């Protein structure tokens, strides 16, 4: 206290000056319109700046709290996520039309287990017979074909993928219509082999291959892959096909339900 | 008492001149000399700086009241008064000031008075125009205006000193 008085006494002149200047300043901004508005503009900007700076500083001290809260919130969100819950619903959409009759329904499913490095590769999806999945249904994904259902349980299904030496599917060239049989040699997960292409077929590298309807398995026109290279094999052409489906990154697939399957099977079986 | 009376008369005369004459120059806005600062300038050298400061504030405040610009002249005057001791220090003659010395032209000569007046008036006017505008926009125009008024004020003060205020 003593030092304070000593300080005031020592610097009384300068302190008096500042007091008088502050009084003047207050008078100016209170009784002069142009200065008042000028001061208002500046002080508003200053207050805004000050507020943003203090907010930044105080925010930092709340980070830990915010972090903890976010972690809790995250855990809750994980619990609500699809992968935490079993989906009983069958989200197939049916188009009602008199001219076109719905032939295929698509049941979305998530891939739970996947393998690509065996000779016989299978994937497991989270939909089973409870959702209407049956043996021999086709499975596709947005980029191409995936495989065929070989076994179902109540909630899960086992799918034999294209990457299985037992898998065979009839495909055709999208532009020329020639068809061949696609199988997998068991080596490269990106490449499959297309065999039994007639010698008079005009093929070139990069030709697109799609499914055809001969097999009674896939809907017609689903993307399979593109021709990587081809060579003559006895009386046929054979081609290496670059599969359009990336089996390493399978996530969601659609199980194709053919509503006319039984009808066609009965007809073909009766023949 | 006679000493104080002289300053009171000088104060009243300068204030009346400022308020009645110089504040009513037709070309207002561009030309406005402020003769009244001479009152603070010509106070005795040995006078307490704090007292000069208070008087400067009061003088400015009265002028503010007369032209309805509360705080503007008071601020400029205190700014000038705070630098006055420093200026006097710098401009002190080799032998120093004598007791009861007044910073008058008749005491220290025309050159000294001109420099002293110019320094003080410049501080006053720059502060004054800053308080009037509160911005640094139009700085070149303001600079010209301030310069003209500084010269004008200094001339009028020096003329007053030469012919009216004698020792």
């Amino acid at each position: 206290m003593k030092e304070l008085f000593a300080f005031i006494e020592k610097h009384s002149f300068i302190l008096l000056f500042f007091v008088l200047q502050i009084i003047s300043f207050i008078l100016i901004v209170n009784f002069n319109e142009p200065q008042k508005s000028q001061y208002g503009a500046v002080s508003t900007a200053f207050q805004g700046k000050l507020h943003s700076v203090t907010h930044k500083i105080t925010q930092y001290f709340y980070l830990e709290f915010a972090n903890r809260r976010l972690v809790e919130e995250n855990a809750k969100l994980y619990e609500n996520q699809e992968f935490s819950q079993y989906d009983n619903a069958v989200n197939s959409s049916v188009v009602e039309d008199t001219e076109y009759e719905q032939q295929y329904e698509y049941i979305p499913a998530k891939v739970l287990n996947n393998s690509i490095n065996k000779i016989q590769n299978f994937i497991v999806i989270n939909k089973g017979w409870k959702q209407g999945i049956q043996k021999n249904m086709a499975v596709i994904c947005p980029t191409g074909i995936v495989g065929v259902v070989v076994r179902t349980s109540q909630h899960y299904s086992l799918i034999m993928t294209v990457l299985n030496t037992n898998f065979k599917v009839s495909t055709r060239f999208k532009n020329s219509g020639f068809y061949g049989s696609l199988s997998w040699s068991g080596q490269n997960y990106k490449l499959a082999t297309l065999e039994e292409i007639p010698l008079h077929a005009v093929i070139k590298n990069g030709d697109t291959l799609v499914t055809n309807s001969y097999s009674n398995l896939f809907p017609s026109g689903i993307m399979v892959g593109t021709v990587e290279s081809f060579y003559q094999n006895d009386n046929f052409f054979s081609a290496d096909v670059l599969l359009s489906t990336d089996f390493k990154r399978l996530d969601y697939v659609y199980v194709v339900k053919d509503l006319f399957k039984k009808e066609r099977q009965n007809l073909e079986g009766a023949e | 008492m006679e000493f104080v009376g002289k300053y009171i008369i000088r104060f009243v005369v300068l204030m009346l001149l400022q308020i009645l004459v110089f504040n009513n120059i037709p070309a207002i806005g561009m030309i406005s000399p402020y003769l009244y600062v001479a009152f603070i300038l010509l106070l005795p050298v040995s006078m307490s700086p704090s007292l000069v400061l208070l008087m400067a504030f009061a003088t400015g405040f009265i002028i503010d009241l007369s032209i309805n610009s509360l705080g503007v002249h008071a601020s400029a005057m205190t700014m000038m008064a705070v630098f006055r001791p420093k200026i006097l220090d710098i401009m002190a003659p080799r032998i120093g000031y004598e007791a009861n010395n007044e910073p008058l032209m008749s005491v220290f000569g025309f050159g000294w008075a001109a420099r002293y007046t110019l320094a003080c008036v410049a501080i006053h006017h720059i502060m004054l125009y800053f308080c009037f505008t509160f911005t640094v926009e139009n700085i070149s125009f303001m600079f010209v205006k301030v310069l003209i008024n500084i010269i004008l004020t200094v001339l009028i003060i020096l003329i007053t000193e030469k012919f009216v205020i004698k020792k």
Side-chain angles (χ1 to χ4, degrees):
Chain A
M1 210 60 192
K2 213 171 153 189
E3 278 97 30
L4 183 69
F5 282 126
F7 178 83
I8 290 171
E9 203 177 342
K10 195 180 169 193
H11 299 100
S12 60
F13 178 59
I14 288 298
L15 289 175
L16 180 67
F17 164 70
F18 280 116
V19 168
L20 292 177
Q21 277 297 356
I22 288 164
I23 293 169
S24 307
F25 185 77
I26 292 166
L27 289 173
I28 290 169
V29 297
N30 279 301
F31 294 98
N32 299 272
E33 273 316 313
Q35 285 98 319
K36 193 178 189 170
S37 65
Q38 196 65 247
Y39 167 76
V42 172
S43 74
T44 309
F46 179 74
Q47 278 169 14
K49 189 81 194 159
L50 188 74
H51 185 260
S52 76
V53 168
T54 52
H55 181 69
K56 264 183 197 155
I57 293 166
T58 51
Q59 202 182 28
Y60 179 78
F61 292 104
Y62 284 113
L63 272 184
E64 201 189 323
F65 172 72
N67 221 8
R68 207 166 51 228
R69 215 188 53 202
L70 279 175
V71 168
E72 284 167 11
E73 208 171 284
N74 235 1
K76 249 186 209 128
L77 283 174
Y78 271 130
E79 283 165 16
N80 290 334
Q81 279 287 314
E82 276 177 79
F83 54 74
S84 303
Q85 289 166 350
Y86 188 82
D87 192 359
N88 270 323
V90 183
N91 306 326
S92 56
S93 62
V94 180
V95 178
E96 298 282 350
D97 201 311
T98 50
E99 194 169 346
Y100 297 99
E101 199 177 342
Q102 187 83 28
Q103 188 185 354
Y104 297 104
E105 280 178 13
Y106 298 87
I107 304 163
K110 188 167 166 50
V111 175
L112 300 177
N113 191 11
N114 186 10
S115 74
I116 55 165
N117 47 19
K118 296 173 189 153
I119 307 243
Q120 264 93 39
N121 289 303
F122 294 92
I123 63 172
V124 177
I125 60 168
N126 69 341
K127 293 280 157 71
W129 52 256
K130 203 180 171 189
Q131 284 80 32
I133 292 177
Q134 289 161 6
K135 204 180 161 185
N136 287 331
M137 278 186 175
V139 180
I140 60 169
C141 76
T143 50
I145 61 166
V146 173
V148 61
V149 177
V150 289
R151 205 158 63 226
T152 61
S153 67
Q154 191 179 353
H155 291 130
Y156 302 104
S157 298
L158 186 71
I159 290 148
M160 179 166 73
T161 65
V162 178
L163 307 184
N164 191 309
T165 48
N166 293 332
F167 185 89
K168 258 188 163 45
V169 65
S170 179
T171 59
R172 63 177 167 91
F173 287 89
K174 196 179 182 181
N175 49 5
S176 61
F178 289 106
Y179 64 93
S181 179
L182 188 90
S183 59
W184 190 56
S185 60
Q187 286 152 9
N188 190 334
Y189 75 95
K190 281 179 177 166
L191 292 177
T193 314
L194 186 64
E195 281 163 338
E196 296 167 29
I197 312 165
L199 282 176
H200 62 273
V202 184
I203 52 175
K204 59 182 188 294
N205 292 348
D207 275 355
T208 304
L209 288 159
V210 294
T211 56
N212 69 9
S213 49
Y214 292 177
S215 69
N216 191 20
L217 197 63
F218 287 96
S220 181
I222 304 289
M223 181 78 177
V224 173
T226 52
V227 174
E228 178 83 353
S229 62
F230 63 94
Y231 45 89
Q232 195 174 347
N233 191 1
D234 293 333
N235 294 324
F236 293 102
F237 275 131
S238 287
D240 286 334
V241 177
L242 187 66
L243 294 167
S244 60
T245 306
D246 188 353
F247 284 91
K248 250 189 171 171
R249 288 192 300 182
L250 271 186
D251 195 11
Y252 280 93
V253 296
Y254 299 97
V255 181
V256 184
K257 187 176 181 181
D258 186 354
L259 300 174
F260 302 161
K261 191 166 193 164
K262 201 154 267 175
E263 188 184 334
R264 181 168 163 183
Q265 265 177 350
N266 286 344
L267 188 64
E268 282 176 343
E271 198 181 306
Chain B
M1 203 59 222
E2 188 196 330
F3 179 75
V4 177
K6 184 172 83 177
Y7 286 106
I8 289 172
I9 292 164
R10 193 186 286 174
F11 176 76
V12 172
V13 170
L14 282 173
M15 290 309 251
L16 286 177
L17 264 178
Q18 181 66 44
I19 293 165
L20 297 177
V21 180
F22 291 107
N23 282 353
N24 296 315
I25 289 176
I28 203 94
M30 194 64 193
I31 299 165
S32 42
Y34 294 109
L35 178 67
Y36 78 98
V37 300
F39 171 69
I40 298 299
L41 288 185
L42 303 181
L43 286 172
V45 178
S46 56
M47 201 170 181
S48 154
S50 298
L51 186 59
V52 174
L53 203 59
L54 283 170
M55 287 169 81
F57 180 81
T59 314
F61 189 74
I62 291 164
I63 295 294
D64 279 334
L65 286 177
S66 76
I67 60 171
N68 198 16
S69 63
L70 232 49
V72 176
H73 282 272
S75 176
M77 285 299 274
T78 40
M79 186 57 92
M80 186 189 80
V82 86
F83 279 105
R84 183 175 173 268
K86 204 82 207 157
I87 292 164
L88 283 171
D89 262 8
I90 292 164
M91 301 183 75
R94 217 166 295 150
I95 47 163
Y97 294 106
E98 287 165 34
N100 289 335
N101 252 169
E102 286 176 86
L104 285 176
M105 192 193 286
S106 50
V107 180
F108 296 102
F110 176 80
W112 187 92
R115 277 178 287 143
Y116 169 68
T117 312
L118 183 66
C120 289
V121 169
I123 291 166
H124 172 266
H125 276 42
I126 289 164
M127 189 65 189
L128 187 72
Y129 283 100
F130 173 71
C131 287
F132 262 130
T133 56
F134 253 39
T135 57
V136 285
E137 285 166 35
N138 279 331
I139 193 93
S140 51
F141 174 71
M142 289 308 297
F143 181 76
V144 173
K145 196 173 155 179
V146 170
L147 204 65
I148 290 169
N149 280 303
I150 288 171
I151 293 164
L152 211 62
T153 305
V154 170
L155 278 177
I156 292 170
I157 289 171
L158 290 178
I159 290 164
T160 315
E161 270 196 69
K162 181 83 183 165
F163 298 107
V164 184
I165 302 165
K166 297 274 167 66
K167 197 178 178 185

